Amino acid sequence: MFIFDLQIANYRNYGQVQLDLDRGLNVFVGDNAQGKSNLLEAIYLLSTLRSSRASTDADLVRRDILDSEFPVARLACQVERSAGNLQLEVAVVGRTTGSSYRAGKRVRVNGVSKRASEAVGQLCAVLFTTLDIEIVAGPPLLRRRYLDMMISQVDRGYLRAMQKYARVLQQRNSLLKRVQAREASAAELTFWDQELAHAGGIIMLARADALGHLAMEGALQMERLSDEAETITMTYRPALGGLDEHDCPIDETEWTARMLRALSNLRHREIGAGSTLVGPHRDDVNIEINQFPADSFASRAQQRTAALSMRLAEASYLRKCLGDDPVVLLDDVLSELDARRRKGVLEYFDSFQQTIITTADADRVRDVLTRASGRFVVTAGSIHRFEGE
Ligand code: ATP
Ligand code: MG
């Protein structure tokens, strides 16, 4: 799929922008703090309905208009897809409550209002940023988010299970606290165990499935990018309290059964802790580079190549699930790579319908500009197309 028309209004540092994007490679050049990352964040938000970096939605609305009567940021795009063309609109509507700002999202797909969860993944995208190295070097939360943002785009059941899991987890945790305080009986947990394990089974099966593909493709890319000098292995580590963590069942009922067993084994400890100690909210992905744990042994450059390989694997996973190409977004990641790896990445995306790249340093990535079909310059929240190199 590819985006051919993009409109931005009052989003971050942008006023009004209308862009005709090309198929193939689009490059956005601009100095620091001009709006390059904001642009890719906007496109990724149209895809996932979540900001890749804002802490609250209110941050997305242009600051100058937050005090106005109608503080609304709007994003809209038109997409050509093999599943039928798409018109997508997101409005981030701000309001002031006391001294703080809040905002909520309204979404329309082909002119019809939808819940955000129904609109996720209508436009499918993969985003590379310079923070990706944290997927390899950082805490488990970031690896779970890597899986969640990817799988939710192509599996509506997964997204629903995630939402249900979060609700049930909250209720179960408050029940555990009440049982601990002897305000409720432990027997009441049985119902919530079932609910949690049912949603958990759906999530764990989908994560295990996705990792099957990601591990294989990631390893291939790591080898290719490093001229066969480095290897990466990725293994799913479901949090089941030490129970059967090393083989992956192939059906959902078996995952659910394992989670129920884990919950029953840990019941006393969970009551003592007043919180749920097993389940997908504690899962991790084990990453090894050249057979050593990637976070504690690998060099920064190795970690960066590993993260890059994981994103390439993500693009391939999305393409496989969709039967269509995701839009590829690269936020300033090419300038930190050497020429060989840069070429490796660009060649990989040659076969994708659309790639959108930002760079602060056009001189370092001349080779990219030469390949581009659309070239744009970003200055203080306005964007202009330019010809030549
Ligand atoms: P770099 O090369 O440093 O990564 P960039 O071009 O990617 O820079 P962005 O991250 O897109 O820059 O940010 C551009 C500017 O947008 C920043 O100066 C930031 O302060 C501003 N900005 C962010 N949110 C808002 C907002 N809600 N309203 C107005 N300006 C904002
Ligand atoms: Mg940036």
Side-chain angles (χ1 to χ4, degrees):
M1 65 179 72
F2 64 96
I3 302 170
F4 57 91
D5 176 64
L6 177 70
Q7 309 208 18
I8 302 177
N10 295 320
Y11 182 87
R12 295 283 199 186
N13 68 331
Y14 288 100
Q16 303 277 341
V17 171
Q18 192 279 325
L19 275 182
D20 294 315
L21 291 167
D22 291 345
R23 266 183 98 125
L25 188 58
N26 295 266
V27 181
F28 291 80
V29 182
D31 289 340
N32 295 134
Q34 303 302 307
K36 301 182 299 298
S37 297
N38 291 345
L39 173 71
L40 294 196
E41 179 197 39
I43 298 174
Y44 198 61
L45 182 105
L46 282 162
S47 163
T48 59
L49 280 303
R50 259 168 72 171
S51 161
S52 46
R53 57 183 187 153
S55 47
T56 81
D57 284 346
D59 293 348
L60 305 176
V61 182
R62 192 176 182 202
R63 238 172 273 136
D64 305 358
I65 67 152
L66 266 179
D67 288 320
S68 71
E69 210 174 307
F70 204 46
V72 183
R74 278 179 203 286
L75 302 172
C77 69
Q78 301 209 50
V79 186
E80 190 170 312
R81 306 183 302 182
S82 59
N85 285 14
L86 171 77
Q87 201 214 345
L88 196 60
E89 293 169 70
V90 175
V92 184
V93 184
R95 64 193 150 82
T96 321
T97 44
S99 59
S100 68
Y101 295 109
R102 289 166 163 270
K105 287 195 266 304
R106 309 248 186 291
V107 187
R108 286 210 275 188
V109 177
N110 295 329
V112 181
S113 291
K114 296 276 180 194
R115 276 203 299 266
S117 59
E118 295 171 306
V120 170
Q122 295 280 344
L123 163 67
C124 188
V126 52
L127 172 65
F128 293 64
T129 79
T130 49
L131 300 175
D132 288 347
I133 192 167
E134 292 300 312
I135 302 172
V136 176
L141 167 74
L142 299 178
R143 289 182 281 283
R144 290 194 294 271
R145 187 178 297 160
Y146 162 76
L147 292 174
D148 293 343
M149 297 291 269
M150 169 181 0
I151 304 170
S152 325
Q153 287 196 53
V154 287
D155 183 348
R156 194 119 309 146
Y158 184 82
L159 192 60
R160 274 197 300 270
M162 288 290 293
Q163 287 167 339
K164 176 161 182 210
Y165 187 87
R167 271 197 313 274
V168 174
L169 182 66
Q170 209 177 21
Q171 278 163 320
R172 189 173 183 275
N173 283 344
S174 69
L175 178 59
L176 281 166
K177 287 191 182 70
R178 285 192 291 122
V179 175
Q180 188 190 46
R182 300 183 190 285
E183 291 163 7
S185 91
E188 284 180 58
L189 283 166
T190 308
F191 170 77
W192 295 107
D193 287 4
Q194 296 278 352
E195 293 284 292
L196 195 71
H198 179 68
I202 297 174
I203 297 167
M204 289 189 286
L205 176 67
R207 286 181 178 174
D209 264 359
L211 266 160
H213 182 88
L214 294 166
M216 217 164 59
E217 184 68 22
L220 222 68
Q221 295 313 321
M222 183 82 175
E223 239 181 86
R224 198 173 65 90
L225 290 177
S226 66
D227 262 349
E228 304 190 3
E230 326 265 7
T231 62
I232 180 175
T233 53
M234 284 184 244
T235 322
Y236 182 37
R237 285 279 173 264
L240 290 170
L243 200 78
D244 305 329
E245 281 177 349
H246 296 283
D247 70 319
C248 283
I250 45 162
D251 65 24
E252 190 187 306
T253 17
E254 178 55 25
W255 279 110
T256 300
R258 282 188 191 189
M259 191 160 159
L260 278 172
R261 278 205 298 281
L263 289 171
S264 113
N265 288 349
L266 284 179
R267 182 167 279 194
H268 291 293
R269 266 182 55 200
E270 289 196 331
I271 293 171
S275 76
T276 305
L277 303 175
V278 289
H281 65 295
R282 294 208 163 190
D283 280 357
D284 198 359
V285 177
N286 191 30
I287 302 174
E288 290 185 348
I289 298 174
N290 302 336
Q291 286 155 9
F292 286 102
D295 52 353
S296 44
F297 281 93
S299 76
R300 288 300 274 178
Q302 286 175 320
Q303 290 174 341
R304 196 173 291 132
T305 311
L308 194 62
S309 306
M310 289 175 75
R311 287 290 187 212
L312 294 171
E314 174 178 353
S316 141
Y317 169 81
L318 294 173
R319 174 190 250 181
K320 175 189 76 111
C321 296
L322 282 173
D324 196 350
D325 298 337
V327 172
V328 179
L329 309 169
L330 299 169
D331 192 10
D332 229 345
V333 292
L334 292 181
S335 51
E336 63 181 22
L337 302 179
D338 57 31
R340 190 165 53 80
R341 282 182 173 71
R342 196 155 61 231
K343 188 157 162 277
V345 173
L346 288 176
E347 278 173 2
Y348 188 78
F349 290 126
D350 267 349
S351 69
F352 283 65
Q353 290 177 53
Q354 189 172 53
T355 306
I356 302 173
I357 292 179
T358 67
T359 180
D361 193 349
D363 288 333
R364 282 214 57 191
V365 295
R366 282 279 148 220
D367 46 341
V368 183
L369 274 176
T370 313
R371 284 167 172 256
S373 43
R375 303 182 187 90
F376 304 84
V377 59
V378 184
T379 14
S382 59
I383 300 179
H384 299 283
R385 196 181 265 273
F386 69 94
E387 301 302 329
E389 290 165 27

Tab-separated table of all heavy atoms in Angstrom, residues 10-14 29-41 53 57-66 130 331-332 358-361 378 380-381, ligand 1:
chain	number	residue	atom	x	y	z
A	10	ASN	N	-2.668	21.877	12.267
A	10	ASN	CA	-2.500	22.187	13.702
A	10	ASN	C	-1.980	21.012	14.512
A	10	ASN	O	-2.372	20.810	15.660
A	10	ASN	CB	-3.811	22.708	14.296
A	10	ASN	CG	-4.192	24.029	13.677
A	10	ASN	OD1	-3.320	24.872	13.443
A	10	ASN	ND2	-5.457	24.206	13.375
A	11	TYR	N	-1.125	20.231	13.896
A	11	TYR	CA	-0.523	19.071	14.565
A	11	TYR	C	0.914	19.416	14.927
A	11	TYR	O	1.679	19.847	14.047
A	11	TYR	CB	-0.568	17.875	13.615
A	11	TYR	CG	-0.020	16.605	14.205
A	11	TYR	CD1	-0.842	15.748	14.935
A	11	TYR	CD2	1.321	16.253	14.041
A	11	TYR	CE1	-0.349	14.583	15.490
A	11	TYR	CE2	1.825	15.100	14.597
A	11	TYR	CZ	0.993	14.261	15.316
A	11	TYR	OH	1.480	13.112	15.867
A	12	ARG	N	1.286	19.250	16.217
A	12	ARG	CA	2.655	19.580	16.659
A	12	ARG	C	3.061	20.967	16.150
A	12	ARG	O	2.333	21.908	16.358
A	12	ARG	CB	3.645	18.506	16.173
A	12	ARG	CG	3.412	17.139	16.791
A	12	ARG	CD	3.948	17.093	18.195
A	12	ARG	NE	4.163	15.738	18.664
A	12	ARG	CZ	4.521	15.449	19.907
A	12	ARG	NH1	4.688	16.385	20.795
A	12	ARG	NH2	4.696	14.220	20.279
A	13	ASN	N	4.202	21.077	15.441
A	13	ASN	CA	4.624	22.411	14.991
A	13	ASN	C	4.099	22.746	13.590
A	13	ASN	O	4.541	23.707	12.983
A	13	ASN	CB	6.156	22.556	15.043
A	13	ASN	CG	6.864	21.686	14.024
A	13	ASN	OD1	6.361	20.628	13.658
A	13	ASN	ND2	8.019	22.137	13.551
A	14	TYR	N	3.140	21.957	13.084
A	14	TYR	CA	2.592	22.235	11.757
A	14	TYR	C	1.328	23.074	11.816
A	14	TYR	O	0.475	22.857	12.681
A	14	TYR	CB	2.284	20.919	11.018
A	14	TYR	CG	3.532	20.193	10.583
A	14	TYR	CD1	4.017	19.115	11.312
A	14	TYR	CD2	4.238	20.612	9.459
A	14	TYR	CE1	5.176	18.452	10.928
A	14	TYR	CE2	5.403	19.965	9.066
A	14	TYR	CZ	5.867	18.894	9.800
A	14	TYR	OH	7.014	18.254	9.420
A	29	VAL	N	14.258	16.323	3.945
A	29	VAL	CA	15.504	16.855	4.482
A	29	VAL	C	15.183	18.082	5.336
A	29	VAL	O	14.332	18.876	4.953
A	29	VAL	CB	16.427	17.295	3.318
A	29	VAL	CG1	17.754	17.798	3.845
A	29	VAL	CG2	16.640	16.142	2.350
A	30	GLY	N	15.848	18.208	6.477
A	30	GLY	CA	15.615	19.416	7.278
A	30	GLY	C	16.588	19.495	8.430
A	30	GLY	O	17.078	18.470	8.913
A	31	ASP	N	16.863	20.708	8.880
A	31	ASP	CA	17.724	20.883	10.049
A	31	ASP	C	17.020	20.315	11.275
A	31	ASP	O	15.864	19.925	11.204
A	31	ASP	CB	18.008	22.378	10.267
A	31	ASP	CG	18.932	22.910	9.189
A	31	ASP	OD1	19.632	22.081	8.551
A	31	ASP	OD2	18.924	24.131	8.955
A	32	ASN	N	17.712	20.338	12.396
A	32	ASN	CA	17.123	19.853	13.645
A	32	ASN	C	15.908	20.700	14.034
A	32	ASN	O	15.851	21.883	13.733
A	32	ASN	CB	18.152	19.899	14.775
A	32	ASN	CG	19.320	18.942	14.520
A	32	ASN	OD1	20.466	19.302	14.680
A	32	ASN	ND2	19.013	17.734	14.117
A	33	ALA	N	14.970	20.048	14.698
A	33	ALA	CA	13.785	20.716	15.274
A	33	ALA	C	12.915	21.443	14.256
A	33	ALA	O	12.288	22.456	14.574
A	33	ALA	CB	14.210	21.672	16.392
A	34	GLN	N	12.843	20.937	13.032
A	34	GLN	CA	12.004	21.587	12.015
A	34	GLN	C	10.668	20.862	11.811
A	34	GLN	O	9.743	21.401	11.235
A	34	GLN	CB	12.757	21.656	10.673
A	34	GLN	CG	14.084	22.378	10.734
A	34	GLN	CD	13.927	23.801	11.232
A	34	GLN	OE1	13.129	24.575	10.707
A	34	GLN	NE2	14.656	24.148	12.283
A	35	GLY	N	10.585	19.603	12.265
A	35	GLY	CA	9.313	18.890	12.130
A	35	GLY	C	9.415	17.548	11.407
A	35	GLY	O	8.392	16.955	11.056
A	36	LYS	N	10.619	17.033	11.210
A	36	LYS	CA	10.772	15.748	10.482
A	36	LYS	C	10.164	14.595	11.272
A	36	LYS	O	9.370	13.808	10.741
A	36	LYS	CB	12.261	15.459	10.214
A	36	LYS	CG	12.961	16.532	9.406
A	36	LYS	CD	14.405	16.161	9.131
A	36	LYS	CE	15.254	15.975	10.385
A	36	LYS	NZ	15.373	17.206	11.226
A	37	SER	N	10.543	14.488	12.547
A	37	SER	CA	9.996	13.387	13.350
A	37	SER	C	8.492	13.561	13.554
A	37	SER	O	7.744	12.579	13.563
A	37	SER	CB	10.685	13.316	14.707
A	37	SER	OG	12.053	13.026	14.528
A	38	ASN	N	8.059	14.798	13.692
A	38	ASN	CA	6.625	15.044	13.850
A	38	ASN	C	5.844	14.524	12.650
A	38	ASN	O	4.735	13.996	12.793
A	38	ASN	CB	6.347	16.546	14.013
A	38	ASN	CG	6.864	17.076	15.347
A	38	ASN	OD1	7.164	16.300	16.250
A	38	ASN	ND2	6.974	18.391	15.459
A	39	LEU	N	6.417	14.687	11.467
A	39	LEU	CA	5.745	14.219	10.253
A	39	LEU	C	5.572	12.695	10.282
A	39	LEU	O	4.485	12.166	10.029
A	39	LEU	CB	6.561	14.640	9.020
A	39	LEU	CG	6.074	14.086	7.693
A	39	LEU	CD1	4.763	14.735	7.286
A	39	LEU	CD2	7.126	14.276	6.596
A	40	LEU	N	6.645	11.980	10.608
A	40	LEU	CA	6.549	10.511	10.626
A	40	LEU	C	5.683	10.030	11.784
A	40	LEU	O	4.946	9.051	11.659
A	40	LEU	CB	7.947	9.879	10.688
A	40	LEU	CG	8.818	10.107	9.458
A	40	LEU	CD1	9.983	9.132	9.448
A	40	LEU	CD2	8.052	9.969	8.158
A	41	GLU	N	5.751	10.747	12.894
A	41	GLU	CA	4.873	10.419	14.019
A	41	GLU	C	3.410	10.531	13.578
A	41	GLU	O	2.568	9.691	13.921
A	41	GLU	CB	5.140	11.381	15.190
A	41	GLU	CG	4.261	11.141	16.407
A	41	GLU	CD	4.251	12.325	17.382
A	41	GLU	OE1	4.235	13.486	16.918
A	41	GLU	OE2	4.252	12.092	18.596
A	53	ARG	N	5.537	8.674	20.486
A	53	ARG	CA	6.389	9.260	21.533
A	53	ARG	C	5.723	10.212	22.509
A	53	ARG	O	6.295	10.507	23.556
A	53	ARG	CB	7.602	9.931	20.888
A	53	ARG	CG	7.211	10.990	19.880
A	53	ARG	CD	8.466	11.547	19.250
A	53	ARG	NE	8.163	12.688	18.387
A	53	ARG	CZ	9.003	13.643	18.122
A	53	ARG	NH1	10.197	13.622	18.642
A	53	ARG	NH2	8.664	14.631	17.321
A	57	ASP	N	-2.134	12.840	24.553
A	57	ASP	CA	-2.620	13.301	23.262
A	57	ASP	C	-2.600	14.818	23.144
A	57	ASP	O	-2.493	15.360	22.045
A	57	ASP	CB	-4.034	12.779	23.012
A	57	ASP	CG	-4.031	11.307	22.618
A	57	ASP	OD1	-2.944	10.788	22.279
A	57	ASP	OD2	-5.106	10.682	22.659
A	58	ALA	N	-2.716	15.497	24.308
A	58	ALA	CA	-2.735	16.963	24.263
A	58	ALA	C	-1.432	17.519	23.681
A	58	ALA	O	-1.420	18.581	23.066
A	58	ALA	CB	-2.983	17.535	25.656
A	59	ASP	N	-0.328	16.763	23.827
A	59	ASP	CA	0.959	17.204	23.263
A	59	ASP	C	0.904	17.317	21.739
A	59	ASP	O	1.742	17.962	21.125
A	59	ASP	CB	2.077	16.195	23.584
A	59	ASP	CG	2.393	16.133	25.062
A	59	ASP	OD1	1.921	17.011	25.803
A	59	ASP	OD2	3.119	15.197	25.462
A	60	LEU	N	-0.065	16.624	21.134
A	60	LEU	CA	-0.101	16.547	19.675
A	60	LEU	C	-0.717	17.790	19.036
A	60	LEU	O	-0.497	18.087	17.875
A	60	LEU	CB	-0.900	15.305	19.230
A	60	LEU	CG	-0.419	13.978	19.820
A	60	LEU	CD1	-1.341	12.845	19.399
A	60	LEU	CD2	1.009	13.686	19.360
A	61	VAL	N	-1.515	18.491	19.832
A	61	VAL	CA	-2.186	19.682	19.301
A	61	VAL	C	-1.209	20.846	19.312
A	61	VAL	O	-0.468	21.046	20.283
A	61	VAL	CB	-3.427	20.024	20.160
A	61	VAL	CG1	-4.162	21.234	19.589
A	61	VAL	CG2	-4.350	18.827	20.258
A	62	ARG	N	-1.222	21.593	18.213
A	62	ARG	CA	-0.307	22.727	18.098
A	62	ARG	C	-0.471	23.666	19.283
A	62	ARG	O	-1.591	24.074	19.602
A	62	ARG	CB	-0.627	23.462	16.795
A	62	ARG	CG	0.397	24.451	16.434
A	62	ARG	CD	0.068	25.067	15.112
A	62	ARG	NE	1.112	25.984	14.756
A	62	ARG	CZ	0.987	26.967	13.920
A	62	ARG	NH1	-0.155	27.157	13.304
A	62	ARG	NH2	2.003	27.757	13.668
A	63	ARG	N	0.640	23.963	19.915
A	63	ARG	CA	0.585	24.703	21.181
A	63	ARG	C	-0.129	26.048	21.043
A	63	ARG	O	-0.930	26.418	21.894
A	63	ARG	CB	2.000	24.910	21.729
A	63	ARG	CG	2.181	24.338	23.123
A	63	ARG	CD	3.624	24.377	23.554
A	63	ARG	NE	4.392	23.215	23.130
A	63	ARG	CZ	5.614	23.267	22.606
A	63	ARG	NH1	6.209	24.413	22.400
A	63	ARG	NH2	6.239	22.164	22.276
A	64	ASP	N	0.124	26.751	19.928
A	64	ASP	CA	-0.472	28.085	19.723
A	64	ASP	C	-1.991	28.070	19.795
A	64	ASP	O	-2.599	29.097	20.095
A	64	ASP	CB	-0.139	28.628	18.318
A	64	ASP	CG	1.332	28.643	18.058
A	64	ASP	OD1	2.083	28.262	18.981
A	64	ASP	OD2	1.734	29.027	16.948
A	65	ILE	N	-2.604	26.933	19.464
A	65	ILE	CA	-4.069	26.963	19.408
A	65	ILE	C	-4.725	26.288	20.616
A	65	ILE	O	-5.935	26.192	20.693
A	65	ILE	CB	-4.621	26.332	18.103
A	65	ILE	CG1	-4.333	24.828	18.064
A	65	ILE	CG2	-4.067	27.020	16.861
A	65	ILE	CD1	-5.368	24.087	17.234
A	66	LEU	N	-3.897	25.813	21.561
A	66	LEU	CA	-4.472	25.102	22.708
A	66	LEU	C	-5.446	25.967	23.506
A	66	LEU	O	-6.405	25.463	24.076
A	66	LEU	CB	-3.360	24.600	23.632
A	66	LEU	CG	-2.896	23.163	23.396
A	66	LEU	CD1	-1.777	22.801	24.356
A	66	LEU	CD2	-4.037	22.162	23.526
A	130	THR	N	15.739	6.252	15.879
A	130	THR	CA	17.049	6.062	16.500
A	130	THR	C	16.910	5.489	17.918
A	130	THR	O	17.892	5.070	18.512
A	130	THR	CB	17.821	7.398	16.571
A	130	THR	OG1	16.945	8.366	17.123
A	130	THR	CG2	18.262	7.854	15.196
A	331	ASP	N	12.974	7.251	10.411
A	331	ASP	CA	13.224	8.570	10.987
A	331	ASP	C	14.689	8.748	11.355
A	331	ASP	O	15.121	8.345	12.434
A	331	ASP	CB	12.328	8.790	12.216
A	331	ASP	CG	12.342	10.248	12.673
A	331	ASP	OD1	12.888	11.095	11.924
A	331	ASP	OD2	11.819	10.536	13.754
A	332	ASP	N	15.422	9.353	10.429
A	332	ASP	CA	16.812	9.722	10.681
A	332	ASP	C	17.716	8.542	11.057
A	332	ASP	O	18.710	8.725	11.750
A	332	ASP	CB	16.868	10.759	11.814
A	332	ASP	CG	17.730	11.945	11.409
A	332	ASP	OD1	18.469	11.827	10.419
A	332	ASP	OD2	17.672	12.976	12.096
A	358	THR	N	13.440	10.466	6.641
A	358	THR	CA	13.849	11.819	7.007
A	358	THR	C	15.352	11.825	7.269
A	358	THR	O	15.922	10.811	7.663
A	358	THR	CB	13.173	12.310	8.309
A	358	THR	OG1	13.674	11.517	9.395
A	358	THR	CG2	11.671	12.185	8.239
A	359	THR	N	15.968	12.972	7.046
A	359	THR	CA	17.374	13.115	7.382
A	359	THR	C	17.719	14.567	7.702
A	359	THR	O	17.173	15.492	7.110
A	359	THR	CB	18.293	12.595	6.262
A	359	THR	OG1	19.649	12.767	6.670
A	359	THR	CG2	18.067	13.329	4.952
A	360	ALA	N	18.611	14.724	8.679
A	360	ALA	CA	19.078	16.072	9.016
A	360	ALA	C	20.379	16.355	8.263
A	360	ALA	O	20.863	17.483	8.244
A	360	ALA	CB	19.312	16.180	10.520
A	361	ASP	N	20.927	15.329	7.658
A	361	ASP	CA	22.245	15.470	7.070
A	361	ASP	C	22.252	14.921	5.642
A	361	ASP	O	22.674	13.792	5.393
A	361	ASP	CB	23.244	14.696	7.954
A	361	ASP	CG	24.681	15.028	7.609
A	361	ASP	OD1	24.896	15.684	6.562
A	361	ASP	OD2	25.583	14.624	8.361
A	378	VAL	N	11.981	20.339	4.852
A	378	VAL	CA	11.123	20.702	5.992
A	378	VAL	C	11.761	21.877	6.719
A	378	VAL	O	12.902	21.781	7.175
A	378	VAL	CB	11.021	19.519	6.993
A	378	VAL	CG1	10.058	19.854	8.124
A	378	VAL	CG2	10.596	18.235	6.289
A	380	ALA	N	10.716	24.697	9.735
A	380	ALA	CA	9.800	25.278	10.730
A	380	ALA	C	8.338	24.960	10.449
A	380	ALA	O	7.488	25.833	10.369
A	380	ALA	CB	10.015	26.787	10.801
A	381	GLY	N	8.060	23.689	10.291
A	381	GLY	CA	6.661	23.283	10.138
A	381	GLY	C	6.047	23.561	8.787
A	381	GLY	O	4.834	23.530	8.633
B	1	ATP	P1	15.720	16.470	14.862
B	1	ATP	O1	16.534	16.579	13.611
B	1	ATP	O2	16.382	17.139	16.015
B	1	ATP	O3	15.250	15.111	15.152
B	1	ATP	P2	13.033	17.135	13.910
B	1	ATP	O4	12.983	17.889	12.631
B	1	ATP	O5	12.750	15.693	13.881
B	1	ATP	O6	14.438	17.429	14.598
B	1	ATP	P3	10.701	17.336	15.556
B	1	ATP	O7	10.963	16.338	16.601
B	1	ATP	O8	9.757	16.985	14.484
B	1	ATP	O9	12.056	17.874	14.926
B	1	ATP	O10	10.193	18.652	16.341
B	1	ATP	C1	10.072	19.908	15.719
B	1	ATP	C2	9.600	20.937	16.696
B	1	ATP	O11	8.244	20.706	17.028
B	1	ATP	C3	10.347	20.976	18.035
B	1	ATP	O12	10.995	22.207	18.154
B	1	ATP	C4	9.250	20.873	19.079
B	1	ATP	O13	9.434	21.733	20.167
B	1	ATP	C5	8.016	21.280	18.296
B	1	ATP	N1	6.761	20.783	18.851
B	1	ATP	C6	6.488	19.569	19.406
B	1	ATP	N2	5.222	19.485	19.826
B	1	ATP	C7	4.655	20.683	19.553
B	1	ATP	C8	3.359	21.234	19.738
B	1	ATP	N3	2.363	20.534	20.308
B	1	ATP	N4	3.130	22.501	19.321
B	1	ATP	C9	4.123	23.236	18.755
B	1	ATP	N5	5.362	22.781	18.548
B	1	ATP	C10	5.637	21.502	18.925
